[in-house]
Amino acid sequence: GAVVSQHPSRVICKSGTSVKIECRSLDFQATTMFWYRQFPKQSLMLMATSNEGSKATYEQGVEKDKFLINHASLTLSTLTVTSAHPEDSSFYICSARKGDKDTEAFFGQGTRLTVV
Amino acid sequence: GQNIDQPTEMTATEGAIVQINCTYQTSGFNGLFWYQQHAGEAPTFLSYNVLDGLEEKGRFSSFLSRSKGYSYLLLKELQMKDSASYLCAVMDSNYQLIWGAGTKLIIKP
């Protein structure tokens, strides 16, 4: 199978600071990675799609200057939540696909962000 | 617009059978997925259907009717560990996943 590793699994930060979340595909090259946010008792909300070597495509309503996404290599994408506020507290999940039309998405373990 | 509908919550008894339905309206279709998600964890893949019919995998089966825009996930011999949310997702013509809101399944002894 394909393994996606997400780090950290939990993070608590102070309001106003920035937090970086890493998503790595361990045994395959991921041309496309997706970042989701999930609030309690709600489904996954796609935040952005990142393709290796190009700028991320953000969904409507997601601030690209606040949620910085970098997909510098075929095995690593990062999401940085800048100037975090308590309302940014959520469960952030990444997923990766091997190819543009590859059907299955492989998920990271998720990151529980709490901003105090 | 694109829409995925599934029940918000279902309750079933340990050892019984439960069917979770999903209806969809999307721009194109490149397959339907079912994922299981336990609270506080990332989703895990259960099944993928792209052709009409029933796919059986152990205690879990998934059915698809493309003409009706309909799928169901069938769980047999329910166990307490099956208590989770079950997410239906459709891959549209752009190979993007459109997610349903999830069905919370509660298993009672």
Side-chain angles (χ1 to χ4, degrees), chain B residues 1-2 9-10 12 14 16 19 21 23-24 27-28 41-42 45 61-62 66 69 81-82 84 91-92 98 100-101 108:
Chain B
Q2 309 207 90
E9 187 174 295
M10 299 182 71
E14 190 177 16
Q19 178 176 310
N21 296 324
T23 58
Y24 63 89
S27 303
E41 299 180 12
F45 172 80
S61 302
S62 56
R66 287 172 298 173
K81 66 178 182 179
D82 297 330
M91 185 166 279
D92 68 10
I98 312 300
K108 295 186 175 179

Side-chain angles (χ1 to χ4, degrees), chain B residues 8-82:
Chain B
T8 304
E9 187 174 295
M10 299 182 71
T11 302
T13 305
E14 190 177 16
I17 299 173
V18 71
Q19 178 176 310
I20 303 174
N21 296 324
C22 172
T23 58
Y24 63 89
Q25 291 178 308
T26 57
S27 303
F29 180 83
N30 279 300
L32 185 144
F33 298 79
W34 284 97
Y35 281 84
Q36 181 191 60
Q37 186 179 26
H38 286 100
E41 299 180 12
T44 55
F45 172 80
L46 290 178
S47 68
Y48 170 67
N49 294 66
V50 67
L51 300 176
D52 289 349
L54 186 68
E55 296 274 346
E56 296 186 74
K57 193 185 291 185
R59 294 189 298 115
F60 293 5
S61 302
S62 56
F63 171 83
L64 174 67
S65 169
R66 287 172 298 173
S67 62
K68 295 181 179 178
Y70 168 69
S71 172
Y72 67 72
L73 179 69
L74 191 71
L75 293 77
K76 303 177 184 176
E77 301 169 17
L78 287 169
Q79 302 174 9
M80 297 303 292
K81 66 178 182 179
D82 297 330

Side-chain angles (χ1 to χ4, degrees), chain A residues 36 38 43 97 103 105 107-108, chain B residues 33 35 37 42 91 95 99-100:
Chain A
Y36 293 89
Q38 187 176 33
S43 188
R97 284 210 304 240
T103 51
F107 284 89
Chain B
F33 298 79
Y35 281 84
Q37 186 179 26
M91 185 166 279
Y95 293 89
W99 292 89

Side-chain angles (χ1 to χ4, degrees), chain A residues 53-106:
Chain A
S54 63
K55 289 185 178 180
T57 302
Y58 289 81
E59 295 299 301
Q60 194 170 8
V62 178
E63 300 173 59
K64 62 175 114 177
D65 294 332
K66 180 171 183 61
F67 298 99
L68 301 178
I69 291 173
N70 186 291
H71 193 160
S73 77
L74 285 170
T75 58
L76 174 64
S77 177
T78 60
L79 167 68
T80 302
V81 183
T82 63
S83 186
H85 290 285
E87 55 264 33
D88 298 325
S89 298
S90 187
F91 191 48
Y92 293 86
I93 310 174
C94 71
S95 74
R97 284 210 304 240
K98 294 180 183 179
D100 289 344
K101 298 181 179 180
D102 214 48
T103 51
E104 187 174 348
F106 303 95

Side-chain angles (χ1 to χ4, degrees), chain A residues 6-13 19 91 110-114, chain B residues 39-40:
Chain A
Q6 188 173 340
H7 178 82
S9 58
R10 290 178 184 272
V11 58
I12 300 173
C13 70
V19 173
F91 191 48
T111 298
R112 173 72 61 193
L113 171 64
T114 303

Side-chain angles (χ1 to χ4, degrees), chain B residues 83-101:
Chain B
S83 292
S85 286
Y86 291 85
L87 304 173
C88 172
V90 173
M91 185 166 279
D92 68 10
S93 57
N94 294 318
Y95 293 89
Q96 299 297 314
L97 278 175
I98 312 300
W99 292 89

